[in-house]
Each structure stands twice: as C-alpha cells, then as structure tokens.
Amino acid sequence: MKTLLLNKEEVSRLISNREVIEAVENAYKAFNSGQVEQPEYLSIHMPAPRGEIDFKLGYYKVNETISMKASSGGFANNPASFGLPTGMGTIILFDARSCALICVMDGSLITGLRTGASGAVSVKALARKNASKITSIGTGNQARMQIRAINEVMKIDEIYAWSRTAEKLAKYKADIESEFGIPVIITETKKEAVEQADVLITTTRGVGAPVEAAWVKPGTHIVAIGTDQFGKQELEPEIFRNAKIVVDSLAQCSEKGETWHPLNHDIITSDDIHGEIGEILLGRKPGREHEDEVTIFDSTGMAIQDITTADRIYQNAIAQNVGTHFEFFS
C-alpha cells in the first residue's frame, strides 16, 4: 500500500473555509452521537524559553479513520535559531480497518483553520442574528483565522482590536482591511474594545490581565479560544455567573479550559454549564434564547476536529491527485 505525503502548501490548496466549517460542525455532532473515541490529550512543557507540544488522538467510527496530531507553540527562538516557525504541527492518518498509515500531512494550518471554524460554528449557534461588531483581544494568527471563518457566517461591519503591542495592532489593521475591506478600529484600552463587542474573540494564549465582567454588555457572544491548558486565563470568572456557558468538551473545559476558573472559584457548578455545542447543533438543547443573554463558547480543541478536517483534505487530495506517495511495505 502507499502512504500520501502532503506539505503545507498542498494542504492550503485542498480545502476552503466553508469546507472546514462543515467539517467542524460534523465533528461536534459526531462527538455527541457516540461516534468518537477520544482519549485525553497529552502535553509536554519544554524548559524555558521553549514552549509546549500537545498530542491529540482520536478515532472516528463513521469513516473508520484514526488521527494523531502533534502541535507545538511558544518556541519564540525558532525563527532566529533554526529558521523555523514558533509553532508547528503534523497530522498522521490511519485506516482504522487495518491501522495502516494512509497519510502524513502538515498540521499547522489545519489547527488554525479548524480552531477558526469552531468560532464560526459557535457564532451561528449562539450569537445574536443582528450582531455586526466584532472585538478581537489578541491580533496574532488565530485572531485572523477567526475573522476569516466568522466572515463566512456573519456580516461584519466593524472590528475593534486591542493588543499589548502597537506594532502587531498596526499590522493586524493593515492585513484585515486589505483582505476583507472591513474597518478595524484600534482602541487604547482593552475595556474600550470589549464594550463595543457583539461578538468578543479572545486569542491571547491565556496571558495578561483578563477581560473584566463589567466591560461585557448584554447580548454579547464570547468566543474563548486562548485558554487550553491549566494556568492560562482570558476572562474574569465573574463573567460566567449569569451567562449561558457552552463548551466543546465538558471534560476538557472543566479541567483545562476557561471554564475551570469559575468552577474553581465556586462561581458556578458543573450543573450551570448549559451543554456541549454538539448538543445544540443536534437540536437536543437550545442555543440563544433571548437578545440580552451573554453566551460563552469555551473551546479547548478536540481530536475529532482534526480528524474530520484532515480526512476532507485527504479525500480532496486523492480526487485531485495532489501530493507525493511513498511505500513502507512493498
């Protein structure tokens, strides 16, 4: 049998944002339909100044595919020392019927795409229908991915942006306005940006002072992306007290996500968590129920998102004859 190898450029040509959003919706539904086996993911934190590497593994019963993804981040010295990005990813796919290796692909783009798509899926399910203003706390790569995906499901009139670094803010403004033609308003304070939000996106990797509850206006939908490990935080726990809390995985978010903080401070109990987003997409639980409701989507990322996205890329590659084949067994 032959194994397919796909590099980052090939991966980028093989899938669209709309396909990724569909793949992530399917992932969430599958997770809440007993179609997924997904062990707890593992992390290795490297000595400073290096960052971390995470390993996510899953089995999707519908298409008999197993995936394993290694994803690193926070390696600030990589560009200067090794000529490499600060974060990288690799995904390997196995045919679950034989456990044969069918594909090795760059995973760095997939992680960004499917995480961006998760925000878009939550906006469809939980944001107000007349929402038009987005606030981005954080202006890195994932902040851009969120806009690219959410732009597919929502008409964005304005984006308010805040970052600790003026240079990053200026580049984000130039990039977003050039790509989408959407005006980006840079604010002097985080508070000023948050107060404008219909949809609030936090992508700061869980560092810095958290968004305060008093800044969040009624009806805001919050897409909490940056907290995916114990010790990270982007939101003041008090925000959760009267909000509708939706998570990708209850087990993960209660232990490693933003939701851990209000649980730890006894602001909420597990019974106060409305549910997993797959339950809403399947119609088992309601999404937004009134205009003034503050909704929170806490996303830690799941292996099943990688599987459904990577499998779509693999199938597209086979259909379009893209990539390089090699053989382990002859």
Side-chain angles (χ1 to χ4, degrees), residues 25-74:
E25 286 182 334
N26 290 338
Y28 289 144
K29 291 176 183 178
F31 182 69
N32 287 105
S33 299
Q35 299 171 348
V36 179
E37 288 189 25
Q38 184 174 276
E40 183 178 356
Y41 67 85
L42 301 175
S43 299
I44 299 175
H45 293 265
M46 307 301 290
R50 288 172 282 172
E52 68 194 44
I53 183 166
D54 302 332
F55 298 89
K56 288 186 170 77
L57 173 69
Y59 166 38
Y60 187 25
K61 299 175 184 178
V62 171
N63 65 2
E64 292 291 355
T65 303
I66 296 168
S67 84
M68 184 171 71
K69 184 182 76 174
S71 180
S72 65

mmCIF file of all heavy atoms in Angstrom, residues 25-74:
data_model
loop_
_atom_site.group_PDB
_atom_site.id
_atom_site.type_symbol
_atom_site.label_atom_id
_atom_site.label_comp_id
_atom_site.label_asym_id
_atom_site.label_seq_id
_atom_site.Cartn_x
_atom_site.Cartn_y
_atom_site.Cartn_z
ATOM 1 N N GLU A 25 -18.498 21.304 12.202
ATOM 2 C CA GLU A 25 -19.872 21.027 12.610
ATOM 3 C C GLU A 25 -20.111 19.522 12.698
ATOM 4 O O GLU A 25 -20.708 19.028 13.668
ATOM 5 C CB GLU A 25 -20.853 21.654 11.622
ATOM 6 C CG GLU A 25 -20.965 23.161 11.730
ATOM 7 C CD GLU A 25 -21.985 23.728 10.761
ATOM 8 O OE1 GLU A 25 -22.245 23.102 9.718
ATOM 9 O OE2 GLU A 25 -22.517 24.819 11.042
ATOM 10 N N ASN A 26 -19.645 18.797 11.688
ATOM 11 C CA ASN A 26 -19.788 17.338 11.702
ATOM 12 C C ASN A 26 -19.036 16.717 12.880
ATOM 13 O O ASN A 26 -19.495 15.736 13.481
ATOM 14 C CB ASN A 26 -19.279 16.741 10.391
ATOM 15 C CG ASN A 26 -20.182 17.059 9.220
ATOM 16 O OD1 ASN A 26 -21.367 17.362 9.400
ATOM 17 N ND2 ASN A 26 -19.646 17.001 8.013
ATOM 18 N N ALA A 27 -17.880 17.298 13.205
ATOM 19 C CA ALA A 27 -17.087 16.790 14.326
ATOM 20 C C ALA A 27 -17.851 16.924 15.638
ATOM 21 O O ALA A 27 -17.913 15.981 16.438
ATOM 22 C CB ALA A 27 -15.756 17.538 14.397
ATOM 23 N N TYR A 28 -18.423 18.104 15.867
ATOM 24 C CA TYR A 28 -19.156 18.324 17.114
ATOM 25 C C TYR A 28 -20.376 17.407 17.214
ATOM 26 O O TYR A 28 -20.678 16.862 18.285
ATOM 27 C CB TYR A 28 -19.586 19.781 17.215
ATOM 28 C CG TYR A 28 -18.460 20.759 17.472
ATOM 29 C CD1 TYR A 28 -18.477 22.027 16.882
ATOM 30 C CD2 TYR A 28 -17.387 20.438 18.286
ATOM 31 C CE1 TYR A 28 -17.452 22.936 17.122
ATOM 32 C CE2 TYR A 28 -16.357 21.340 18.524
ATOM 33 C CZ TYR A 28 -16.396 22.590 17.935
ATOM 34 O OH TYR A 28 -15.392 23.491 18.168
ATOM 35 N N LYS A 29 -21.074 17.238 16.102
ATOM 36 C CA LYS A 29 -22.235 16.352 16.111
ATOM 37 C C LYS A 29 -21.818 14.908 16.372
ATOM 38 O O LYS A 29 -22.470 14.184 17.133
ATOM 39 C CB LYS A 29 -22.981 16.455 14.776
ATOM 40 C CG LYS A 29 -23.681 17.780 14.546
ATOM 41 C CD LYS A 29 -24.309 17.811 13.149
ATOM 42 C CE LYS A 29 -24.965 19.148 12.863
ATOM 43 N NZ LYS A 29 -25.535 19.197 11.485
ATOM 44 N N ALA A 30 -20.730 14.480 15.742
ATOM 45 C CA ALA A 30 -20.248 13.117 15.935
ATOM 46 C C ALA A 30 -19.848 12.876 17.382
ATOM 47 O O ALA A 30 -20.119 11.809 17.957
ATOM 48 C CB ALA A 30 -19.058 12.851 15.010
ATOM 49 N N PHE A 31 -19.202 13.869 17.996
ATOM 50 C CA PHE A 31 -18.743 13.744 19.376
ATOM 51 C C PHE A 31 -19.911 13.489 20.318
ATOM 52 O O PHE A 31 -19.792 12.737 21.287
ATOM 53 C CB PHE A 31 -17.988 15.017 19.778
ATOM 54 C CG PHE A 31 -17.435 14.982 21.167
ATOM 55 C CD1 PHE A 31 -16.380 14.144 21.498
ATOM 56 C CD2 PHE A 31 -17.967 15.810 22.160
ATOM 57 C CE1 PHE A 31 -15.858 14.124 22.790
ATOM 58 C CE2 PHE A 31 -17.452 15.797 23.442
ATOM 59 C CZ PHE A 31 -16.394 14.955 23.763
ATOM 60 N N ASN A 32 -21.052 14.121 20.036
ATOM 61 C CA ASN A 32 -22.225 13.958 20.894
ATOM 62 C C ASN A 32 -23.195 12.908 20.380
ATOM 63 O O ASN A 32 -24.346 12.847 20.815
ATOM 64 C CB ASN A 32 -22.933 15.296 21.073
ATOM 65 C CG ASN A 32 -22.176 16.248 21.973
ATOM 66 O OD1 ASN A 32 -21.557 17.194 21.505
ATOM 67 N ND2 ASN A 32 -22.187 15.993 23.275
ATOM 68 N N SER A 33 -22.730 12.071 19.456
ATOM 69 C CA SER A 33 -23.567 10.996 18.916
ATOM 70 C C SER A 33 -22.924 9.621 19.115
ATOM 71 O O SER A 33 -23.325 8.661 18.459
ATOM 72 C CB SER A 33 -23.820 11.225 17.418
ATOM 73 O OG SER A 33 -24.489 12.449 17.196
ATOM 74 N N GLY A 34 -21.933 9.530 19.980
ATOM 75 C CA GLY A 34 -21.296 8.257 20.262
ATOM 76 C C GLY A 34 -20.473 7.698 19.109
ATOM 77 O O GLY A 34 -20.252 6.483 19.043
ATOM 78 N N GLN A 35 -20.006 8.584 18.219
ATOM 79 C CA GLN A 35 -19.265 8.129 17.038
ATOM 80 C C GLN A 35 -17.764 8.340 17.162
ATOM 81 O O GLN A 35 -17.024 8.114 16.202
ATOM 82 C CB GLN A 35 -19.780 8.869 15.796
ATOM 83 C CG GLN A 35 -21.252 8.626 15.515
ATOM 84 C CD GLN A 35 -21.795 9.535 14.425
ATOM 85 O OE1 GLN A 35 -21.136 10.501 14.020
ATOM 86 N NE2 GLN A 35 -22.991 9.245 13.942
ATOM 87 N N VAL A 36 -17.324 8.752 18.357
ATOM 88 C CA VAL A 36 -15.923 9.157 18.524
ATOM 89 C C VAL A 36 -15.325 8.509 19.760
ATOM 90 O O VAL A 36 -15.971 8.453 20.809
ATOM 91 C CB VAL A 36 -15.821 10.696 18.669
ATOM 92 C CG1 VAL A 36 -14.370 11.130 18.881
ATOM 93 C CG2 VAL A 36 -16.426 11.387 17.461
ATOM 94 N N GLU A 37 -14.103 8.028 19.620
ATOM 95 C CA GLU A 37 -13.280 7.675 20.778
ATOM 96 C C GLU A 37 -12.133 8.668 20.812
ATOM 97 O O GLU A 37 -11.399 8.807 19.836
ATOM 98 C CB GLU A 37 -12.757 6.237 20.680
ATOM 99 C CG GLU A 37 -13.829 5.196 20.893
ATOM 100 C CD GLU A 37 -13.262 3.800 21.020
ATOM 101 O OE1 GLU A 37 -12.074 3.673 21.413
ATOM 102 O OE2 GLU A 37 -13.990 2.844 20.713
ATOM 103 N N GLN A 38 -11.986 9.338 21.939
ATOM 104 C CA GLN A 38 -11.043 10.456 22.006
ATOM 105 C C GLN A 38 -10.389 10.477 23.388
ATOM 106 O O GLN A 38 -10.938 11.029 24.336
ATOM 107 C CB GLN A 38 -11.798 11.764 21.744
ATOM 108 C CG GLN A 38 -10.953 13.004 21.689
ATOM 109 C CD GLN A 38 -11.782 14.201 21.291
ATOM 110 O OE1 GLN A 38 -12.008 14.445 20.120
ATOM 111 N NE2 GLN A 38 -12.246 14.976 22.260
ATOM 112 N N PRO A 39 -9.216 9.888 23.532
ATOM 113 C CA PRO A 39 -8.536 9.910 24.829
ATOM 114 C C PRO A 39 -8.151 11.333 25.226
ATOM 115 O O PRO A 39 -8.073 12.232 24.384
ATOM 116 C CB PRO A 39 -7.273 9.074 24.581
ATOM 117 C CG PRO A 39 -7.528 8.319 23.322
ATOM 118 C CD PRO A 39 -8.468 9.146 22.522
ATOM 119 N N GLU A 40 -7.898 11.530 26.495
ATOM 120 C CA GLU A 40 -7.422 12.824 26.966
ATOM 121 C C GLU A 40 -6.114 13.154 26.274
ATOM 122 O O GLU A 40 -5.248 12.293 26.107
ATOM 123 C CB GLU A 40 -7.201 12.780 28.475
ATOM 124 C CG GLU A 40 -6.763 14.093 29.075
ATOM 125 C CD GLU A 40 -6.607 14.025 30.582
ATOM 126 O OE1 GLU A 40 -6.925 12.966 31.158
ATOM 127 O OE2 GLU A 40 -6.167 15.031 31.185
ATOM 128 N N TYR A 41 -5.973 14.416 25.847
ATOM 129 C CA TYR A 41 -4.751 14.759 25.133
ATOM 130 C C TYR A 41 -3.598 15.005 26.101
ATOM 131 O O TYR A 41 -3.788 15.299 27.275
ATOM 132 C CB TYR A 41 -4.957 15.940 24.186
ATOM 133 C CG TYR A 41 -5.250 17.296 24.777
ATOM 134 C CD1 TYR A 41 -4.230 18.127 25.194
ATOM 135 C CD2 TYR A 41 -6.566 17.770 24.849
ATOM 136 C CE1 TYR A 41 -4.489 19.387 25.693
ATOM 137 C CE2 TYR A 41 -6.837 19.037 25.347
ATOM 138 C CZ TYR A 41 -5.789 19.842 25.772
ATOM 139 O OH TYR A 41 -6.059 21.088 26.261
ATOM 140 N N LEU A 42 -2.393 14.836 25.563
ATOM 141 C CA LEU A 42 -1.179 14.929 26.365
ATOM 142 C C LEU A 42 -0.397 16.177 25.996
ATOM 143 O O LEU A 42 -0.409 16.614 24.840
ATOM 144 C CB LEU A 42 -0.294 13.702 26.140
ATOM 145 C CG LEU A 42 -0.916 12.343 26.463
ATOM 146 C CD1 LEU A 42 0.043 11.227 26.059
ATOM 147 C CD2 LEU A 42 -1.250 12.240 27.949
ATOM 148 N N SER A 43 0.314 16.742 26.957
ATOM 149 C CA SER A 43 1.146 17.912 26.727
ATOM 150 C C SER A 43 2.505 17.713 27.373
ATOM 151 O O SER A 43 2.601 17.121 28.457
ATOM 152 C CB SER A 43 0.493 19.169 27.319
ATOM 153 O OG SER A 43 -0.758 19.423 26.720
ATOM 154 N N ILE A 44 3.518 18.202 26.704
ATOM 155 C CA ILE A 44 4.863 18.245 27.267
ATOM 156 C C ILE A 44 5.315 19.694 27.256
ATOM 157 O O ILE A 44 5.365 20.333 26.201
ATOM 158 C CB ILE A 44 5.849 17.379 26.462
ATOM 159 C CG1 ILE A 44 5.409 15.914 26.473
ATOM 160 C CG2 ILE A 44 7.262 17.516 27.031
ATOM 161 C CD1 ILE A 44 6.266 15.011 25.601
ATOM 162 N N HIS A 45 5.620 20.227 28.414
ATOM 163 C CA HIS A 45 6.097 21.602 28.530
ATOM 164 C C HIS A 45 7.624 21.564 28.575
ATOM 165 O O HIS A 45 8.217 20.953 29.461
ATOM 166 C CB HIS A 45 5.532 22.256 29.787
ATOM 167 C CG HIS A 45 4.048 22.452 29.736
ATOM 168 N ND1 HIS A 45 3.458 23.621 29.323
ATOM 169 C CD2 HIS A 45 3.029 21.594 30.000
ATOM 170 C CE1 HIS A 45 2.148 23.501 29.359
ATOM 171 N NE2 HIS A 45 1.856 22.275 29.759
ATOM 172 N N MET A 46 8.223 22.229 27.611
ATOM 173 C CA MET A 46 9.665 22.210 27.481
ATOM 174 C C MET A 46 10.300 23.285 28.363
ATOM 175 O O MET A 46 9.646 24.256 28.743
ATOM 176 C CB MET A 46 10.057 22.437 26.019
ATOM 177 C CG MET A 46 9.368 21.496 25.040
ATOM 178 S SD MET A 46 9.700 19.766 25.369
ATOM 179 C CE MET A 46 11.432 19.694 24.908
ATOM 180 N N PRO A 47 11.592 23.124 28.692
ATOM 181 C CA PRO A 47 12.266 24.145 29.512
ATOM 182 C C PRO A 47 12.275 25.498 28.806
ATOM 183 O O PRO A 47 12.411 25.575 27.587
ATOM 184 C CB PRO A 47 13.690 23.596 29.665
ATOM 185 C CG PRO A 47 13.576 22.133 29.371
ATOM 186 C CD PRO A 47 12.467 21.985 28.382
ATOM 187 N N ALA A 48 12.139 26.572 29.581
ATOM 188 C CA ALA A 48 12.180 27.929 29.032
ATOM 189 C C ALA A 48 13.526 28.165 28.338
ATOM 190 O O ALA A 48 14.549 27.626 28.766
ATOM 191 C CB ALA A 48 11.986 28.940 30.156
ATOM 192 N N PRO A 49 13.513 28.908 27.217
ATOM 193 C CA PRO A 49 12.410 29.732 26.693
ATOM 194 C C PRO A 49 11.537 29.002 25.686
ATOM 195 O O PRO A 49 10.797 29.641 24.945
ATOM 196 C CB PRO A 49 13.167 30.868 26.019
ATOM 197 C CG PRO A 49 14.404 30.200 25.473
ATOM 198 C CD PRO A 49 14.772 29.171 26.495
ATOM 199 N N ARG A 50 11.659 27.676 25.627
ATOM 200 C CA ARG A 50 10.804 26.932 24.710
ATOM 201 C C ARG A 50 9.371 26.867 25.232
ATOM 202 O O ARG A 50 9.098 27.215 26.383
ATOM 203 C CB ARG A 50 11.367 25.520 24.515
ATOM 204 C CG ARG A 50 12.639 25.473 23.681
ATOM 205 C CD ARG A 50 13.272 24.090 23.679
ATOM 206 N NE ARG A 50 14.006 23.840 24.920
ATOM 207 C CZ ARG A 50 14.523 22.647 25.240
ATOM 208 N NH1 ARG A 50 14.354 21.624 24.426
ATOM 209 N NH2 ARG A 50 15.187 22.506 26.365
ATOM 210 N N GLY A 51 8.445 26.410 24.384
ATOM 211 C CA GLY A 51 7.043 26.366 24.743
ATOM 212 C C GLY A 51 6.571 24.965 25.083
ATOM 213 O O GLY A 51 7.138 24.291 25.943
ATOM 214 N N GLU A 52 5.533 24.516 24.381
ATOM 215 C CA GLU A 52 4.914 23.231 24.690
ATOM 216 C C GLU A 52 4.602 22.481 23.405
ATOM 217 O O GLU A 52 4.539 23.073 22.316
ATOM 218 C CB GLU A 52 3.621 23.449 25.477
ATOM 219 C CG GLU A 52 2.529 24.108 24.640
ATOM 220 C CD GLU A 52 1.371 24.640 25.452
ATOM 221 O OE1 GLU A 52 1.594 25.266 26.494
ATOM 222 O OE2 GLU A 52 0.221 24.432 25.018
ATOM 223 N N ILE A 53 4.417 21.180 23.538
ATOM 224 C CA ILE A 53 3.938 20.373 22.420
ATOM 225 C C ILE A 53 2.790 19.511 22.934
ATOM 226 O O ILE A 53 2.870 18.922 24.012
ATOM 227 C CB ILE A 53 5.068 19.523 21.793
ATOM 228 C CG1 ILE A 53 4.535 18.747 20.572
ATOM 229 C CG2 ILE A 53 5.724 18.597 22.813
ATOM 230 C CD1 ILE A 53 5.639 18.162 19.703
ATOM 231 N N ASP A 54 1.700 19.495 22.177
ATOM 232 C CA ASP A 54 0.493 18.748 22.544
ATOM 233 C C ASP A 54 0.283 17.601 21.560
ATOM 234 O O ASP A 54 0.608 17.713 20.375
ATOM 235 C CB ASP A 54 -0.744 19.647 22.501
ATOM 236 C CG ASP A 54 -0.633 20.857 23.404
ATOM 237 O OD1 ASP A 54 0.078 20.764 24.422
ATOM 238 O OD2 ASP A 54 -1.262 21.889 23.091
ATOM 239 N N PHE A 55 -0.316 16.519 22.076
ATOM 240 C CA PHE A 55 -0.627 15.357 21.245
ATOM 241 C C PHE A 55 -2.108 15.030 21.406
ATOM 242 O O PHE A 55 -2.578 14.785 22.514
ATOM 243 C CB PHE A 55 0.228 14.148 21.650
ATOM 244 C CG PHE A 55 1.701 14.363 21.484
ATOM 245 C CD1 PHE A 55 2.459 14.894 22.518
ATOM 246 C CD2 PHE A 55 2.330 14.067 20.282
ATOM 247 C CE1 PHE A 55 3.822 15.114 22.363
ATOM 248 C CE2 PHE A 55 3.687 14.266 20.120
ATOM 249 C CZ PHE A 55 4.439 14.800 21.157
ATOM 250 N N LYS A 56 -2.836 15.059 20.296
ATOM 251 C CA LYS A 56 -4.263 14.740 20.299
ATOM 252 C C LYS A 56 -4.509 13.527 19.413
ATOM 253 O O LYS A 56 -4.051 13.466 18.271
ATOM 254 C CB LYS A 56 -5.084 15.932 19.794
ATOM 255 C CG LYS A 56 -5.166 17.101 20.765
ATOM 256 C CD LYS A 56 -6.125 18.168 20.243
ATOM 257 C CE LYS A 56 -6.411 19.223 21.309
ATOM 258 N NZ LYS A 56 -5.319 20.158 21.472
ATOM 259 N N LEU A 57 -5.256 12.568 19.941
ATOM 260 C CA LEU A 57 -5.513 11.293 19.270
ATOM 261 C C LEU A 57 -7.003 11.014 19.257
ATOM 262 O O LEU A 57 -7.698 11.285 20.247
ATOM 263 C CB LEU A 57 -4.773 10.173 20.015
ATOM 264 C CG LEU A 57 -5.027 8.730 19.587
ATOM 265 C CD1 LEU A 57 -4.426 8.477 18.207
ATOM 266 C CD2 LEU A 57 -4.434 7.773 20.610
ATOM 267 N N GLY A 58 -7.519 10.490 18.139
ATOM 268 C CA GLY A 58 -8.934 10.168 18.087
ATOM 269 C C GLY A 58 -9.272 9.141 17.029
ATOM 270 O O GLY A 58 -8.505 8.908 16.085
ATOM 271 N N TYR A 59 -10.444 8.521 17.205
ATOM 272 C CA TYR A 59 -10.965 7.501 16.290
ATOM 273 C C TYR A 59 -12.379 7.908 15.900
ATOM 274 O O TYR A 59 -13.244 8.083 16.753
ATOM 275 C CB TYR A 59 -10.947 6.138 16.973
ATOM 276 C CG TYR A 59 -11.737 5.038 16.295
ATOM 277 C CD1 TYR A 59 -11.792 4.910 14.906
ATOM 278 C CD2 TYR A 59 -12.433 4.093 17.061
ATOM 279 C CE1 TYR A 59 -12.510 3.887 14.302
ATOM 280 C CE2 TYR A 59 -13.150 3.063 16.466
ATOM 281 C CZ TYR A 59 -13.189 2.966 15.097
ATOM 282 O OH TYR A 59 -13.905 1.954 14.497
ATOM 283 N N TYR A 60 -12.609 8.063 14.590
ATOM 284 C CA TYR A 60 -13.916 8.439 14.052
ATOM 285 C C TYR A 60 -14.529 7.196 13.429
ATOM 286 O O TYR A 60 -14.080 6.717 12.395
ATOM 287 C CB TYR A 60 -13.734 9.554 13.026
ATOM 288 C CG TYR A 60 -15.008 10.161 12.492
ATOM 289 C CD1 TYR A 60 -16.200 10.132 13.210
ATOM 290 C CD2 TYR A 60 -15.015 10.809 11.249
ATOM 291 C CE1 TYR A 60 -17.350 10.712 12.714
ATOM 292 C CE2 TYR A 60 -16.162 11.395 10.750
ATOM 293 C CZ TYR A 60 -17.335 11.345 11.476
ATOM 294 O OH TYR A 60 -18.484 11.928 10.984
ATOM 295 N N LYS A 61 -15.570 6.672 14.066
ATOM 296 C CA LYS A 61 -16.139 5.383 13.675
ATOM 297 C C LYS A 61 -16.859 5.436 12.332
ATOM 298 O O LYS A 61 -16.935 4.420 11.634
ATOM 299 C CB LYS A 61 -17.093 4.889 14.768
ATOM 300 C CG LYS A 61 -16.414 4.675 16.119
ATOM 301 C CD LYS A 61 -17.414 4.301 17.200
ATOM 302 C CE LYS A 61 -16.735 4.189 18.567
ATOM 303 N NZ LYS A 61 -17.704 3.861 19.630
ATOM 304 N N VAL A 62 -17.397 6.610 11.979
ATOM 305 C CA VAL A 62 -18.188 6.713 10.757
ATOM 306 C C VAL A 62 -17.352 6.414 9.526
ATOM 307 O O VAL A 62 -17.762 5.656 8.638
ATOM 308 C CB VAL A 62 -18.834 8.109 10.643
ATOM 309 C CG1 VAL A 62 -19.475 8.310 9.276
ATOM 310 C CG2 VAL A 62 -19.871 8.298 11.739
ATOM 311 N N ASN A 63 -16.167 7.006 9.446
ATOM 312 C CA ASN A 63 -15.332 6.789 8.254
ATOM 313 C C ASN A 63 -14.113 5.919 8.537
ATOM 314 O O ASN A 63 -13.198 5.854 7.720
ATOM 315 C CB ASN A 63 -14.912 8.122 7.627
ATOM 316 C CG ASN A 63 -14.012 8.934 8.534
ATOM 317 O OD1 ASN A 63 -13.651 8.510 9.623
ATOM 318 N ND2 ASN A 63 -13.643 10.119 8.089
ATOM 319 N N GLU A 64 -14.101 5.275 9.719
ATOM 320 C CA GLU A 64 -13.028 4.340 10.078
ATOM 321 C C GLU A 64 -11.645 4.971 9.913
ATOM 322 O O GLU A 64 -10.753 4.435 9.258
ATOM 323 C CB GLU A 64 -13.132 3.052 9.247
ATOM 324 C CG GLU A 64 -14.353 2.204 9.575
ATOM 325 C CD GLU A 64 -14.278 1.571 10.968
ATOM 326 O OE1 GLU A 64 -13.242 1.705 11.644
ATOM 327 O OE2 GLU A 64 -15.275 0.947 11.387
ATOM 328 N N THR A 65 -11.494 6.154 10.536
ATOM 329 C CA THR A 65 -10.234 6.866 10.464
ATOM 330 C C THR A 65 -9.715 7.167 11.872
ATOM 331 O O THR A 65 -10.485 7.557 12.752
ATOM 332 C CB THR A 65 -10.386 8.194 9.697
ATOM 333 O OG1 THR A 65 -10.892 7.933 8.386
ATOM 334 C CG2 THR A 65 -9.047 8.925 9.587
ATOM 335 N N ILE A 66 -8.431 6.971 12.059
ATOM 336 C CA ILE A 66 -7.743 7.347 13.288
ATOM 337 C C ILE A 66 -6.754 8.452 12.936
ATOM 338 O O ILE A 66 -6.071 8.383 11.910
ATOM 339 C CB ILE A 66 -6.982 6.153 13.903
ATOM 340 C CG1 ILE A 66 -7.956 5.048 14.326
ATOM 341 C CG2 ILE A 66 -6.130 6.592 15.096
ATOM 342 C CD1 ILE A 66 -7.276 3.738 14.675
ATOM 343 N N SER A 67 -6.683 9.478 13.784
ATOM 344 C CA SER A 67 -5.681 10.525 13.556
ATOM 345 C C SER A 67 -4.882 10.758 14.821
ATOM 346 O O SER A 67 -5.376 10.562 15.943
ATOM 347 C CB SER A 67 -6.333 11.835 13.104
ATOM 348 O OG SER A 67 -6.775 12.589 14.220
ATOM 349 N N MET A 68 -3.642 11.190 14.625
ATOM 350 C CA MET A 68 -2.829 11.675 15.730
ATOM 351 C C MET A 68 -2.156 12.956 15.276
ATOM 352 O O MET A 68 -1.554 12.996 14.200
ATOM 353 C CB MET A 68 -1.773 10.662 16.165
ATOM 354 C CG MET A 68 -0.978 11.141 17.385
ATOM 355 S SD MET A 68 0.111 9.878 18.092
ATOM 356 C CE MET A 68 1.349 9.783 16.805
ATOM 357 N N LYS A 69 -2.271 13.988 16.102
ATOM 358 C CA LYS A 69 -1.674 15.276 15.766
ATOM 359 C C LYS A 69 -0.679 15.687 16.840
ATOM 360 O O LYS A 69 -0.979 15.610 18.040
ATOM 361 C CB LYS A 69 -2.738 16.366 15.630
ATOM 362 C CG LYS A 69 -2.153 17.711 15.193
ATOM 363 C CD LYS A 69 -3.211 18.787 15.101
ATOM 364 C CE LYS A 69 -3.616 19.285 16.468
ATOM 365 N NZ LYS A 69 -4.541 20.432 16.408
ATOM 366 N N ALA A 70 0.495 16.105 16.393
ATOM 367 C CA ALA A 70 1.459 16.750 17.271
ATOM 368 C C ALA A 70 1.480 18.227 16.921
ATOM 369 O O ALA A 70 1.636 18.594 15.756
ATOM 370 C CB ALA A 70 2.846 16.140 17.079
ATOM 371 N N SER A 71 1.292 19.083 17.926
ATOM 372 C CA SER A 71 1.198 20.526 17.677
ATOM 373 C C SER A 71 2.012 21.264 18.721
ATOM 374 O O SER A 71 1.807 21.088 19.925
ATOM 375 C CB SER A 71 -0.264 20.968 17.738
ATOM 376 O OG SER A 71 -0.396 22.350 17.509
ATOM 377 N N SER A 72 2.939 22.101 18.264
ATOM 378 C CA SER A 72 3.796 22.843 19.184
ATOM 379 C C SER A 72 3.503 24.333 19.096
ATOM 380 O O SER A 72 2.968 24.819 18.104
ATOM 381 C CB SER A 72 5.272 22.592 18.857
ATOM 382 O OG SER A 72 5.602 23.112 17.571
ATOM 383 N N GLY A 73 3.862 25.059 20.139
ATOM 384 C CA GLY A 73 3.688 26.506 20.157
ATOM 385 C C GLY A 73 4.556 27.142 21.219
ATOM 386 O O GLY A 73 4.984 26.492 22.168
ATOM 387 N N GLY A 74 4.829 28.433 21.027
ATOM 388 C CA GLY A 74 5.586 29.176 22.027
ATOM 389 C C GLY A 74 7.092 29.059 21.928
ATOM 390 O O GLY A 74 7.810 29.458 22.852
#
